[in-house]
Amino acid sequence: MKSFIVIGMGRFGSAVATELYKLGHEVLAIDEHEELIGKIADHVTHAVVGDAKDEAVMRSIGVRNFDCVIVAIADSLQDSVLTTLMLKELGAKYVICKAQSEMHMKVLQRIGADRVVFPERDMGQRLAQNLSSTNIIDFIELSKDFSIIETSAPNSWQNRSLKDIGVRSEHGLNIIAVRGADKEKVVVSPPGSYIVKANDVLIVVGANSALNKVRDL
């Protein structure tokens, strides 16, 4: 079990806090709006009404004792930045921040946020990837140049071995897992001898330029 502080009980913050609690972790939720704290109180370990920008409040919570702090207040760039700066100064071990724009993201990265997430952009990218091809089921960006996709087996790959297809040698891709038609049978790191079946779902990692070609197969 890990311990988390989630600051800001908007849609994103409350969703993260609730899910972490469901997964069995200790979650402290904080927001300056009593109404929002009232709604989340039964779905987290502790719920506190308070101003996360107030150093005295954060000191009393003991941020350095938690494994991770999630700053989910993105509506105000100033509040987000000030809160992140204070958390780092107070010795928070790992700070994840939500950004609302590319500029916001860059600022948070510059001031020391350990990780910055951009839910709206990320979801938009995943939706666009899904809509652009009937093969693509899901999409996760690892970096600007590399991603992971979940795709149904291309017609030209079906009933052939991974070695024969040349997934790595010809396409520059790696199949990290294959999920069968029953969705319960998963083959992790399939060998070159694995025969791709019509109903297989492939989890593929590689350069975006190579992944884009999978759509046309």
Side-chain angles (χ1 to χ4, degrees):
M1 180 179 72
K2 294 183 177 180
S3 55
F4 297 87
I5 296 176
V6 182
I7 301 172
M9 290 298 105
R11 286 179 296 179
F12 176 73
S14 60
V16 171
T18 300
E19 192 62 25
L20 285 171
Y21 182 68
K22 286 181 181 178
L23 292 170
H25 300 294
E26 178 186 354
V27 180
L28 187 154
I30 180 170
D31 195 289
E32 58 186 335
H33 297 97
E34 188 173 352
E35 179 183 356
L36 295 178
I37 288 298
K39 291 180 180 179
I40 198 71
D42 292 335
H43 306 287
V44 295
T45 314
H46 305 288
V48 176
V49 178
D51 184 357
K53 302 186 300 298
D54 187 331
E55 185 174 339
V57 171
M58 301 312 292
R59 281 188 182 278
S60 67
I61 290 174
V63 296
R64 65 172 61 243
N65 298 320
F66 287 77
D67 294 307
C68 177
V69 183
I70 299 159
V71 181
I73 46 175
D75 292 340
S76 169
L77 188 151
Q78 179 176 321
D79 288 354
S80 174
V81 168
L82 290 176
T83 300
T84 302
L85 277 172
M86 182 176 59
L87 288 169
K88 299 302 291 184
E89 290 175 357
L90 290 175
K93 296 176 184 176
Y94 195 82
V95 179
I96 300 175
C97 301
K98 176 190 175 184
Q100 64 177 351
S101 66
E102 294 288 345
M103 180 58 70
H104 190 182
M105 179 182 290
K106 290 178 181 179
V107 172
L108 290 169
Q109 290 172 334
R110 288 285 182 87
I111 64 172
D114 297 287
R115 181 179 175 187
V116 181
V117 296
F118 199 163
E120 290 82 1
R121 184 202 63 179
D122 296 343
M123 183 55 69
Q125 288 179 334
R126 293 174 74 169
L127 178 60
Q129 291 285 341
N130 293 350
L131 294 174
S132 68
S133 172
T134 55
N135 287 339
I136 305 301
I137 299 170
D138 205 353
F139 166 86
I140 300 174
E141 183 182 47
L142 297 177
S143 69
K144 184 179 68 174
D145 300 314
F146 290 87
S147 302
I148 296 175
I149 63 169
E150 185 176 355
T151 179
S152 54
N155 291 333
S156 61
W157 289 12
Q158 294 174 18
N159 302 313
R160 299 171 63 193
S161 70
L162 294 178
K163 183 177 181 180
D164 179 49
I165 295 168
V167 173
R168 181 178 298 178
S169 60
E170 294 185 26
H171 298 281
L173 300 170
N174 285 289
I175 308 294
I176 56 178
V178 178
R179 189 173 68 242
D182 57 8
K183 296 185 178 181
E184 293 184 0
K185 183 179 180 181
V186 177
V187 179
V188 179
S189 298
S193 59
Y194 182 86
I195 304 297
V196 177
K197 303 171 187 63
N199 294 320
D200 280 349
V201 171
L202 312 177
I203 316 301
V204 189
V205 62
N208 294 335
S209 56
L211 291 170
N212 286 337
K213 297 177 182 179
V214 173
R215 298 194 187 96
D216 303 323
L217 296 174

